[in-house]
Amino acid sequence: MLFFNNTLFQACGIGWSQVHHSMYLIIHNVMSRQASSDSCRSLGGYLAIVSDAQETVAIQEFSATIGYVNTFMYIDGSDAAEEGVWRTEAGDVMTYTEMSDGQPNGNRTENCLYMFAQKVGDCNCTRDQHFVSAVCEI
């Protein structure tokens, strides 16, 4: 379900929108995952932590309403420290890591999470040519 709340929108600032249970902002810029994370933090947020399938769908629906259809978007999550154990940037083990069919597929070379067309997968953390957006969350 996709919904907006103007009061919270104003409280969070221009560009932020309430979707599902959080406030989100999508940054459209070709950037690495680290640059994406840094950009979210500079705006008072963090890379989005997807907590369930409904949130995945809600973020994708939201991104489509603002013109980001079929866009690769970095979200929080890495298994760089231990293959197959997905953690947030804060180091917490992620409880929801539902991946799309065939994902994760990168073994030790793809350690970061992305969203694309209601799908979640792993990707190389340092490449920026394929990733044009980041999903920030408050």
Side-chain angles (χ1 to χ4, degrees), residues 33-137:
R33 184 192 182 271
Q34 186 59 55
S36 298
S37 177
D38 292 346
S39 294
C40 289
R41 279 196 302 276
S42 75
L43 295 168
Y46 49 88
L47 280 173
I49 301 169
V50 178
S51 58
D52 56 40
Q54 292 81 16
E55 187 171 17
T56 301
V57 171
I59 291 170
Q60 288 291 342
E61 287 177 353
F62 165 64
S63 67
T65 65
I66 59 173
Y68 296 100
V69 178
N70 295 330
T71 300
F72 284 94
M73 300 180 289
Y74 278 114
I75 57 175
D76 198 0
S78 173
D79 71 343
E82 182 180 351
E83 185 64 25
V85 178
W86 293 93
R87 295 181 181 274
T88 65
E89 284 189 302
D92 300 322
V93 174
M94 298 177 75
T95 57
Y96 176 78
T97 56
E98 184 69 32
M99 301 274 185
S100 301
D101 291 341
Q103 296 288 335
N105 65 357
N107 296 317
R108 296 301 305 158
T109 61
E110 296 185 350
N111 296 311
C112 291
L113 293 180
Y114 73 91
M115 294 178 76
F116 177 80
Q118 296 182 358
K119 298 178 181 177
V120 175
D122 61 340
C123 62
N124 185 308
C125 301
T126 58
R127 279 198 185 145
D128 60 16
Q129 67 263 31
H130 298 300
F131 295 89
V132 295
S133 299
V135 182
C136 303
E137 180 178 7

